[in-house]
Amino acid sequence: MGVCQKNQVIYKESLPSMDTKNLERLIIRYLSKIISKKEWEELNSWFEESGDFNLFRDYLRINYTIDCIMSEFDKEKRKKSVLEKIKKDKMNDRRLRRFNYFKYAAAITVILGVSYAILTNNTTTIPDRDVVKIVESGSNKAILTLENGNEVALEKGKRYNNDKASSNGESLVYTSKTNDDSSEELTFNYLTVPRGGQFFLKLSDETKVWVNSDSRIKYPTNFFEGNTREVEIVYGEAYFEVSPSSENRGASFEVLTRKQKVNVLGTEFNVRAYKNEAEVITTLVGGKVVVEKKGAKRSLIPNQQSISKDNSNHIDIREVDASLMTSWVRGLFIFEEESLGEMVEDLSRWYDVEVFFMTEELKKIPFTGVLERTKSLNDLLKVIEVISDDAVKFEMKKNVLIVK
């Protein structure tokens, strides 16, 4: 839910008694469910006096669109139904009764899956300042390291082909085959995704892998018949949709990370093992996996997550909503009571910026919400500032994000 720069130009002259920036601030606070009674009365009075709902509808339609899918029902159909109801009521009464309009607006907010909550409900004004540098979202890019050590840059607009794989610049697909010649040497490639990047990989056994920012994985260019299919996350995060063993002559699938192994039969799961994090987190979406660490073994069922700490051989299990934990694959950041420190760390990888907190206390602020990975960092930061009542402020200096 970023600030609509275009709307500021389109509607600025039509606002009778409120500047665009303050109107945007009130709309964001309303959708965030943190608007005070006084602010609500101010916003409602403006709507009744102006009869202009264009900016509000643009926030509903543009800033968290139907792509924010958080449940399985047909949100597009529900959204269309609500908007048609609004249009019908507007034809009957152009001013719209305030309770009806806000009731429908709240319904759309639920449909779009928007949920923000930070800190207190005190009222302040959004700072009237512009961020000079626009930090755009990450993109599909990676470095492929071949078995001979040569490196190939993969990015949009650049095609690459060899006798084992091909890339259109946004994905890398290996030739589908299983090698039954045990005398042939097993060869490995590495795929390294930098900060500010992501990439899709399809292995020779048809296993699909989504690789997140600041990650590196090692894998065979093909698999030998009957042997365990083994992939290593050197560091970072990857989501796997594993080709079943039944389609690979019974061969099991394993994912290795530092001090941990995940045994797979055919399933969907996510493994997070970043260098600067002291734990490896495995989240199961579907199927079944067994997590091993120095003799300890724990089985996971869907919507369970294992936590393996570097300084312990114990494997903890907790219940989670796996769809939220793996939302990055669908182009979303979904945070549920995450600390600001953890949240900004994820943002820093995707937007390739360094982060500096003015105080340690700021890192502990809890945040719940949905952010689109396609939005600019500037848009996301503006929203966080508004819904925190400016208790959190951001400043960009070159490539450093300062949190204060």
Side-chain angles (χ1 to χ4, degrees):
M1 184 189 296
V3 174
C4 298
Q5 300 294 337
K6 292 183 179 179
N7 293 337
Q8 293 181 15
V9 176
I10 295 173
Y11 302 116
K12 188 170 183 179
E13 294 181 358
S14 67
L15 307 183
S17 60
M18 187 187 306
D19 64 85
T20 305
K21 210 165 195 59
N22 191 40
L23 177 60
E24 287 177 332
R25 169 182 170 274
L26 293 177
I27 291 173
I28 290 173
R29 288 181 65 81
Y30 173 77
L31 295 178
S32 304
K33 300 180 182 179
I34 61 173
I35 194 168
S36 69
K37 181 180 178 181
K38 182 179 179 181
E39 289 172 326
W40 184 88
E41 290 174 348
E42 183 182 358
L43 179 61
N44 183 67
S45 294
W46 187 92
F47 281 132
E48 288 194 331
E49 291 173 9
S50 69
D52 186 350
F53 297 96
N54 289 322
L55 187 60
F56 191 41
R57 267 195 290 269
D58 278 349
Y59 265 87
L60 296 175
R61 184 175 63 251
I62 298 173
N63 289 303
Y64 265 95
T65 64
I66 205 66
D67 293 333
C68 298
I69 297 172
M70 296 181 68
S71 62
E72 295 301 321
F73 68 93
D74 190 343
K75 295 184 179 181
E76 186 64 44
K77 183 177 179 180
R78 290 285 302 277
K79 178 189 175 188
K80 183 178 180 180
S81 175
V82 172
L83 290 176
E84 286 177 351
K85 178 64 175 174
I86 293 174
K87 183 177 180 181
K88 181 179 179 181
D89 282 359
K90 188 172 183 180
M91 292 174 63
N92 295 333
D93 180 1
R94 294 192 62 81
R95 293 180 64 193
L96 293 178
R97 293 293 179 182
R98 63 184 179 182
F99 292 113
N100 284 341
Y101 189 85
F102 280 97
K103 176 179 68 176
Y104 298 139
I108 296 177
T109 303
V110 172
I111 290 170
L112 298 181
V114 181
S115 174
Y116 287 98
I118 288 187
L119 296 173
T120 65
N121 290 333
N122 299 327
T123 60
T124 59
T125 57
I126 187 171
D128 188 11
R129 59 186 174 84
D130 294 321
V131 179
V132 176
K133 180 182 178 182
I134 301 298
V135 182
E136 299 296 346
S137 65
S139 59
N140 295 314
K141 56 185 175 183
I143 299 295
L144 170 64
T145 304
L146 304 172
E147 54 268 33
N148 61 6
N150 290 341
E151 294 186 345
V152 180
L154 305 177
E155 57 187 28
K156 187 175 181 178
K158 292 185 178 180
R159 292 188 171 274
Y160 172 76
N161 293 277
N162 61 29
D163 60 341
K164 298 176 181 177
S166 62
S167 174
N168 61 3
E170 299 184 65
S171 64
L172 180 63
V173 178
Y174 282 79
T175 303
S176 299
K177 67 177 181 178
T178 299
N179 197 328
D180 56 4
D181 184 2
S182 58
S183 63
E184 184 177 332
E185 182 182 359
L186 191 64
T187 59
F188 293 88
N189 284 178
Y190 289 84
L191 190 71
T192 305
V193 179
R195 293 169 64 90
Q198 63 183 10
F199 217 77
F200 172 76
L201 170 68
K202 189 174 183 181
L203 301 176
S204 65
D205 68 338
E206 301 291 328
T207 290
K208 300 174 182 177
V209 189
W210 288 261
V211 188
N212 208 349
S213 304
D214 194 20
S215 303
R216 190 180 206 209
I217 68 170
K218 176 185 177 182
Y219 52 90
T221 56
N222 55 54
F223 297 95
F224 286 112
E225 182 181 345
N227 290 0
T228 298
R229 297 168 288 159
E230 189 175 280
V231 174
E232 179 183 357
I233 299 179
V234 181
Y235 58 82
E237 183 173 24
Y239 181 94
F240 293 84
E241 193 174 296
V242 177
S243 175
S245 58
S246 59
E247 297 179 10
N248 290 274
R249 302 191 182 185
S252 61
F253 194 97
E254 293 182 351
V255 176
L256 306 180
T257 62
R258 60 179 190 268
K259 303 178 182 178
Q260 178 185 291
K261 178 169 66 175
V262 180
N263 294 307
V264 185
L265 295 177
T267 188
E268 296 181 40
F269 62 101
N270 191 87
V271 180
R272 181 181 175 113
Y274 281 107
K275 291 179 288 186
N276 62 337
E277 296 179 353
E279 56 188 23
V280 177
I281 300 175
T282 304
T283 305
L284 184 61
V285 176
K288 181 180 179 181
V289 299
V290 177
V291 180
E292 294 186 32
K293 184 177 182 182
K294 293 187 176 180
K297 291 185 179 182
R298 298 294 300 271
S299 297
L300 296 184
I301 60 175
N303 290 313
Q304 283 190 337
Q305 186 178 78
S306 70
I307 302 93
S308 175
K309 297 185 181 297
D310 286 351
N311 59 0
S312 171
N313 292 336
H314 186 67
I315 302 173
D316 295 318
I317 304 293
R318 64 186 175 194
E319 304 293 325
V320 298
D321 184 337
S323 66
L324 301 186
M325 300 296 105
T326 59
S327 61
W328 67 270
V329 178
R330 304 192 306 277
L332 299 173
F333 290 109
I334 300 181
F335 302 103
E336 190 169 20
E337 288 300 308
E338 293 279 346
S339 71
L340 187 63
E342 294 172 323
M343 183 186 77
V344 172
E345 181 65 30
D346 280 346
L347 296 180
S348 73
R349 291 192 185 100
W350 179 235
Y351 291 96
D352 190 18
V353 296
E354 300 299 323
V355 179
F356 177 76
F357 283 84
M358 296 294 286
T359 68
E360 288 296 313
E361 290 302 312
L362 288 170
K363 294 182 179 180
K364 301 175 184 178
I365 296 174
F367 181 89
T368 294
V370 180
L371 303 175
E372 292 183 77
R373 283 165 67 97
T374 57
K375 296 290 186 182
S376 73
L377 178 60
N378 308 67
D379 281 347
L380 303 190
L381 298 182
K382 287 176 183 176
V383 173
I384 296 171
E385 286 184 345
V386 170
I387 61 179
S388 72
D389 286 326
D390 292 336
V392 177
K393 294 185 178 181
F394 301 95
E395 182 180 354
M396 284 295 303
K397 287 190 175 180
K398 295 185 178 180
N399 201 48
V400 178
L401 173 63
I402 301 172
V403 188
K404 55 186 179 180

